[in-house]
Amino acid sequence: MSRQELCFGKKQETKSKNRRSTRSLKMKKHEHIVKSLMPGGIGEELGIEPGDKLLAINGNEIQDVFDYYYYEESEQLLLLIEKPDGEEWELEIEKDEDESLGIEFDQSLMDEYRSCRNKCMFCFIDQMPKGMRETLYFKDDDSRLSFLQGNYITLTNMSDHDVERIVKYRLEPINISFQTTNPELRCKMLHNRFAGEALKKVDILYRGQIEMNGQIVLCKGVNDGEELERTIRDLTGYLPYLKSVSIVPVGLTKYRDGLYPLEPFTKEDAREVLSVIHRWQEKIYQEHGIHMIHAGDEWYVLAEEEVPEEARYDGYLQLENGVGMMRLLFNEVQEALSAVTGDGRQREISLATGRLMYPYIGKILEEIRKKFPNITTHLYAIRNDFFGERITVSGLITGQDLTGQLKGQPLGERLLLPCNMLKIGEPVFLDDFTLEEVENSLQVKTDIVKSSGQDLLDAVIGVYENDDSARTEEEADFRKCKIEWRER
């Protein structure tokens, strides 16, 4: 049915003042105020305006964005809208099933964000210094963000109703922070007496055939060894709906006064963890055709072992959790290199990264120089003085560490930085240093490099060196990159 054939129906004021008063009280917690409307969209044609409130769809009160999307898909809708003066309109709509109402609300979730109530012994946010921007201290634990953004949740602040809604609306995949399947130990690790009981919600997701991914933040002497064996064994019981589980080492900053006394893993520890993971990978692959259990890249660096071949990563299901990033980047660069013809172009550039990726970026630059021998590169591993030397990922490098360690070093005509050093959508580092301040301090032009191997190759060989408009467009894409805010 075309937009012109919509049956808008009558605009009716609800007659019962008591009913309106009761509804207003009931909906006070979830006031869904219209922010804007798509020009020419259904909502605009209906006469809905910014400032109006959506009260219900087909008689169903809307709790959040998922209720809205679920009921919006119906071909026949009855919207209850409250105007700023208190008048209520009932709007009847007939539309195509996949046609949007074209309404945007003040809050993206149409509800408050749910914060984490746990005091996890490994929580990175508890290990941050004071004085950073306020948003960095927010601990999210919201199943809706798990679906929308890939965040990991503990399930501790969810009711059975919340979990059943995930099943009803097919909100998948859901990413879960397991840490351990030992209920008592989970309560200890999360410092929440309900954390063990929350594991039962995974059974509801499993019975509902909801696709899941899992995470285990491994803490030395706590959930490793026999506890890790138990956890992996228990989690295999959720196959085939639990698609992957990443195991990552706890990240320890220098700001741990008063926190649980955790110790860093050694090279020998890392090799033992990898042997456990590889043994389980082989067993699970033989039985189910997937590897399921995956080691974060840091284990291989710490163990001084090569990262596995691409097939071991089952399609890179856990890239955002630092699993397979090194292998994928190296393979992408190799593929991109095979499609170009080398030449004698001359340029001098520098690259800065975290200590984790440093040796692998070095290998990549060696491969590039085989085809472009006259490109001079200076690669720098930035030591994390701000959080402590045990933090080695590039996404947690600050502007002050970057400038402090690069000042006076040969940088060439351009400095290449990975996009995850910057705040999403803004050229700002974690410590609020701006990209402009870094450029002025180091007196060098910076190029922001996206995460793919093709982007890295293009930046190194200077694809956009003489095409500022194309390079500007490429740099703008850094907004799509995510800061490595994992539970580390």
Side-chain angles (χ1 to χ4, degrees):
M1 182 172 294
S2 69
R3 182 72 53 82
Q4 288 73 22
E5 294 174 315
L6 292 171
C7 175
F8 292 161
K10 300 173 292 182
K11 298 179 181 179
Q12 300 176 343
E13 181 177 359
T14 303
K15 294 179 180 179
S16 169
K17 292 184 179 179
N18 289 334
R19 187 172 68 178
R20 181 166 65 237
S21 175
T22 301
R23 182 185 296 114
S24 297
L25 286 172
K26 193 171 184 180
M27 294 298 296
K28 187 175 182 180
K29 183 179 179 182
H30 305 291
E31 290 191 339
H32 309 310
I33 301 175
V34 176
K35 178 182 179 181
S36 62
L37 297 109
M38 182 177 69
I42 295 176
E44 185 180 72
E45 291 186 17
L46 287 170
I48 298 174
E49 300 172 312
D52 291 351
K53 295 178 186 178
L54 172 65
L55 300 183
I57 299 179
N58 292 346
N60 299 289
E61 294 178 353
I62 306 301
Q63 177 179 327
D64 57 25
V65 67
F66 292 130
D67 283 338
Y68 175 73
Y69 286 153
Y70 180 77
Y71 293 115
E72 184 195 33
E73 288 184 353
S74 300
E75 294 181 350
Q76 295 185 344
L77 299 179
L78 178 65
L79 264 62
L80 184 61
I81 298 290
E82 181 182 306
K83 307 298 282 187
D85 63 3
E87 180 184 15
E88 293 184 358
W89 289 5
E90 285 187 341
L91 305 172
E92 293 179 282
I93 306 168
E94 292 182 10
K95 66 177 188 63
D96 294 335
E97 183 177 357
D98 59 351
E99 195 170 14
S100 168
L101 294 177
I103 302 174
E104 183 178 345
F105 297 89
D106 269 351
Q107 294 177 306
S108 58
L109 287 181
M110 299 177 69
D111 190 15
E112 297 296 330
Y113 288 90
R114 295 181 183 178
S115 61
C116 183
R117 302 173 184 174
N118 307 311
K119 290 287 293 182
C120 299
M121 62 172 60
F122 51 81
C123 180
F124 189 89
I125 294 177
D126 290 341
Q127 302 180 71
M128 292 202 304
K130 296 179 180 179
M132 302 181 74
R133 58 178 177 267
E134 185 178 350
T135 54
L136 294 177
Y137 298 100
F138 179 75
K139 302 180 183 181
D140 72 76
D141 195 13
D142 199 310
S143 61
R144 297 162 299 187
L145 293 179
S146 180
F147 172 71
L148 292 171
Q149 301 179 7
N151 298 15
Y152 280 78
I153 58 173
T154 66
L155 305 173
T156 56
N157 66 1
M158 298 178 66
S159 66
D160 287 347
H161 170 70
D162 293 328
V163 181
E164 288 162 359
R165 275 207 326 150
I166 291 175
V167 176
K168 176 182 178 181
Y169 297 162
R170 309 306 303 173
L171 304 178
E172 55 185 1
I174 291 296
N175 300 325
I176 301 170
S177 284
F178 286 104
Q179 320 316 350
T180 176
T181 55
N182 180 336
E184 293 77 18
L185 179 58
R186 195 168 194 259
C187 291
K188 175 183 176 181
M189 292 189 70
L190 274 61
H191 200 67
N192 183 329
R193 62 192 179 97
F194 301 109
E197 187 75 13
L199 287 171
K200 295 181 180 179
K201 295 179 175 62
V202 183
D203 296 328
I204 301 176
L205 298 174
Y206 174 75
R207 291 193 297 269
Q209 301 181 9
I210 293 296
E211 184 176 314
M212 298 173 279
N213 295 299
Q215 173 185 258
I216 298 170
V217 177
L218 210 62
C219 300
K220 185 174 179 178
V222 180
N223 60 337
D224 55 352
E226 288 302 316
E227 288 293 345
L228 178 59
E229 297 273 5
R230 166 185 171 159
T231 297
I232 296 175
R233 183 166 50 250
D234 289 347
L235 292 181
T236 59
Y238 293 115
L239 285 163
Y241 305 114
L242 182 57
K243 299 293 185 181
S244 68
V245 177
S246 61
I247 300 176
V248 298
V250 61
L252 303 175
T253 80
K254 62 184 181 182
Y255 302 99
R256 289 197 57 84
D257 291 345
L259 300 179
Y260 189 91
L262 293 174
E263 299 179 6
F265 287 96
T266 64
K267 180 171 72 173
E268 291 71 25
D269 295 330
R271 290 183 171 178
E272 176 59 30
V273 169
L274 288 176
S275 70
V276 171
I277 292 173
H278 294 162
R279 174 164 43 82
W280 275 102
Q281 283 182 334
E282 293 176 6
K283 173 179 171 57
I284 295 170
Y285 188 79
Q286 290 175 1
E287 297 175 1
H288 300 277
I290 64 172
H291 298 88
M292 183 189 174
I293 307 298
H294 301 281
D297 290 353
E298 289 158 282
W299 293 114
Y300 294 99
V301 175
L302 184 57
E304 298 179 3
E305 295 184 8
E306 285 295 318
V307 295
E309 67 282 1
E310 185 173 60
R312 189 89 67 86
Y313 290 104
D314 295 341
Y316 298 108
L317 296 175
Q318 295 258 1
L319 273 179
E320 294 297 334
N321 217 16
V323 176
M325 294 175 67
M326 295 177 179
R327 171 55 63 197
L328 178 60
L329 181 64
F330 191 84
N331 286 1
E332 286 180 340
V333 170
Q334 290 278 34
E335 182 179 355
L337 272 172
S338 67
V340 300
T341 301
D343 55 41
R345 71 185 68 188
Q346 296 185 353
R347 68 193 310 250
E348 181 181 359
I349 61 169
S350 55
L351 303 88
T353 186
R355 294 168 70 181
L356 175 67
M357 289 295 292
Y358 176 79
Y360 291 88
I361 299 296
K363 292 179 182 179
I364 287 173
L365 294 178
E366 290 176 7
E367 292 296 311
I368 294 175
R369 282 194 295 269
K370 290 178 182 179
K371 280 198 169 184
F372 300 93
N374 294 330
I375 293 180
T376 301
T377 61
H378 306 283
L379 177 62
Y380 299 102
I382 304 301
R383 182 183 64 253
N384 202 318
D385 294 331
F386 188 88
F387 288 110
E389 293 188 30
R390 293 171 183 167
I391 302 301
T392 60
V393 294
S394 60
L396 296 176
I397 290 174
T398 59
Q400 57 191 280
D401 280 346
L402 187 70
T403 55
Q405 294 173 44
L406 293 184
K407 189 167 290 187
Q409 298 291 341
L411 300 177
E413 59 204 66
R414 291 190 186 276
L415 168 64
L416 308 186
L417 300 176
C419 64
N420 62 0
M421 283 189 187
L422 300 170
K423 182 180 179 181
I424 299 174
E426 296 181 39
V428 178
F429 294 82
L430 280 174
D431 55 353
D432 289 333
F433 267 59
T434 67
L435 193 59
E436 182 180 6
E437 288 175 323
V438 168
E439 288 183 328
N440 291 338
S441 175
L442 298 176
Q443 289 297 293
V444 66
K445 174 64 180 176
T446 60
D447 283 348
I448 305 304
V449 184
K450 292 192 296 181
S451 57
S452 79
Q454 182 69 63
D455 294 310
L456 178 57
L457 174 61
D458 289 346
V460 171
I461 67 177
V463 167
Y464 303 126
E465 183 176 9
N466 298 314
D467 186 351
D468 287 339
S469 62
R471 188 174 58 79
T472 300
E473 181 180 347
E474 188 76 3
E475 287 180 354
D477 282 339
F478 84 85
R479 294 174 176 82
K480 298 179 182 178
C481 295
K482 292 185 177 180
I483 292 175
E484 295 171 283
W485 270 130
R486 296 167 288 186
E487 291 190 25
R488 306 162 77 69

